[in-house]
Amino acid sequence: MRVLVAYASALGSTRGIAEHVAGRMAVALGEVECRSVEEIKSVSGYEAVVVGSAIHNQAWLDPALLFFTHNAHELAKRPVWAFSVGMSDALPRLFRKRGAELQQKRLEQSQFREVPLRGHKVFSGVYEAAQMPTPLRVLFRLTGGRFGDLRDWAAIDAWTDDITAQLATSSEGVGVQGLPPDRPAGA
Ligand SMILES: Cc1cc2nc3c(=O)[nH]c(=O)nc-3n(C[C@H](O)[C@H](O)[C@H](O)COP(=O)(O)O)c2cc1C
């Protein structure tokens, strides 16, 4: 099965997650390609697509949004999963869960309207002190905030394995490409 894992990353942590997801899926599914969204001309040669973007200012990076818009018609014909990479696990403990939930809701309400998704997950990436202005850094740490590589590989693996299992099942049965053309993949 030919699967695309596409990503938009400013500082590399989303790319790292995309490469990890692609490598793990490839063990079970075979041909899984990992590419920057800017490298992709068309998704028509892929049977399933996973797209991830870093979050900046409560939204996906522009290249990832453009990828969705430009390929909406083709994406809507195949199963698509999305992941967003932010910094909710850097927040003071009390706000982490709520922060992640609110951000997930906001992203889903403002984006992804053109393409039905099989699933969307928000992960934390790498958030370094240098990314925050110095006066705020001290306050952030004092109130329980933290910096560093906050990627939860166990959660990423669990999400990847869930997608892999769905794709493996569908390729055994009617086949991903066997979906009737007028039926959205997320239906
Ligand atoms: C300018 C800027 C804005 C950001 N805005 C958000 C945001 O709104 N929500 C969030 O959760 N994280 C935000 N972050 C944190 C990044 O999403 C996080 O560091 C992520 O790991 C970056 O992924 P990347 O390494 O692939 O670029 C922001 C980071 C930067 C540099």
Side-chain angles (χ1 to χ4, degrees):
M1 171 180 288
R2 200 157 172 240
V3 179
L4 171 67
V5 180
Y7 62 86
S9 182
L11 295 173
S13 57
T14 307
R15 187 184 68 230
I17 293 174
E19 287 169 349
H20 182 86
V21 166
R24 196 169 170 94
M25 287 177 92
V27 174
L29 299 174
E31 208 181 338
V32 182
E33 288 176 30
C34 185
R35 304 237 180 276
S36 150
V37 288
E38 286 156 304
E39 285 177 65
I40 310 295
K41 302 278 176 280
S42 163
V43 297
S44 60
Y46 301 99
E47 290 163 75
V49 179
V50 178
V51 195
S53 174
I55 308 167
H56 276 191
N57 305 320
Q58 306 292 333
W60 270 21
L61 300 182
D62 285 345
L65 292 172
L66 280 173
F67 171 84
F68 246 72
T69 308
H70 286 162
N71 296 289
H73 184 69
E74 283 299 320
L75 286 170
K77 292 188 204 165
R78 42 190 48 73
V80 178
W81 286 264
F83 67 94
S84 305
V85 182
M87 53 154 284
S88 30
D89 285 340
L91 298 174
R93 190 178 291 279
L94 260 180
F95 303 106
R96 279 175 209 159
K97 193 160 172 274
R98 188 80 187 117
E101 285 167 357
L102 283 175
Q103 182 147 259
Q104 174 143 6
K105 212 169 166 189
R106 206 172 295 132
L107 288 166
E108 285 168 7
Q109 281 169 353
S110 59
Q111 303 178 174
F112 318 134
R113 287 213 194 93
E114 296 154 271
V115 179
L117 295 179
R118 285 273 182 102
H120 169 232
K121 190 89 174 165
V122 179
F123 298 116
S124 287
V126 176
Y127 191 61
E128 300 292 0
Q131 290 175 245
M132 187 176 271
T134 315
L136 280 181
R137 257 180 242 172
V138 178
L139 186 66
F140 188 71
R141 276 216 175 92
L142 283 173
T143 54
R146 57 187 181 152
F147 299 104
D149 187 343
L150 304 165
R151 288 174 288 187
D152 180 346
W153 295 109
I156 293 164
D157 284 351
W159 189 70
T160 305
D161 292 350
D162 186 35
I163 296 172
T164 304
Q166 290 184 53
L167 289 174
T169 309
S170 63
S171 66
E172 279 162 17
V174 289
V176 176
Q177 286 183 317
L179 288 173
D182 58 345
R183 182 181 142 189

